[in-house]
Amino acid sequence: VSTQSTWGTEIVFANQESLGEAATDNLSEIQIWSIFANLAANLGVDKSEFIASLGHGTTYDSQARLSWKFGCSRGVYGTPTFFVNGIVVDGASYKLQDWINVIDPLLNPSRKL
């Protein structure tokens, strides 16, 4: 399963344009599940079993909801989200020097920027 998960992540990433909001905005939940089922089939996963695993109340649904709620309780509302010493840092557009400016003083408080 972990190998399928790894490859699944790569397949989803490679097909992200067809999975984004613009591409799926007018599709039903079942149609979107079907798109993912087709991608999963490339990994040898049975399409009907895959779709059945996505329904409300399934183990995966419960796990995803729990993870989402935990993330929200910690200030995560999207990706990427970064934490430095437990504080949310809006660093999605940070360059290397920006991160150096944030992290170096924490590693060496006597260092002046």
Side-chain angles (χ1 to χ4, degrees):
V1 173
S2 63
T3 302
Q4 287 179 336
S5 296
T6 302
W7 286 107
T9 302
E10 291 178 13
I11 287 173
V12 169
F13 186 78
N15 290 279
Q16 63 185 316
E17 287 183 23
S18 65
L19 301 170
E21 187 173 347
T24 60
D25 194 38
N26 295 316
L27 299 179
S28 70
E29 187 175 271
I30 296 296
Q31 289 172 311
I32 294 169
W33 288 359
S34 181
I35 292 169
F36 279 98
N38 288 332
L39 295 175
N42 292 329
L43 300 171
V45 176
D46 181 85
K47 285 183 182 183
S48 59
E49 287 181 25
F50 181 85
I51 289 174
S53 74
L54 297 175
H56 297 292
T58 64
T59 300
Y60 297 115
D61 180 58
S62 298
Q63 290 172 348
R65 289 175 186 275
L66 181 63
S67 292
W68 180 78
K69 288 178 181 181
F70 178 78
C72 287
S73 73
R74 300 301 188 265
V76 177
Y77 298 101
T79 58
T81 298
F82 302 97
F83 290 85
V84 177
N85 283 357
I87 306 295
V88 176
V89 176
D90 183 17
S93 62
Y94 275 24
K95 306 285 187 243
L96 176 60
Q97 190 59 50
D98 297 322
W99 284 110
I100 290 170
N101 292 342
V102 170
I103 295 172
D104 277 6
L106 299 171
L107 297 174
N108 186 0
S110 64
R111 181 175 176 252
K112 304 268 186 204
L113 293 177

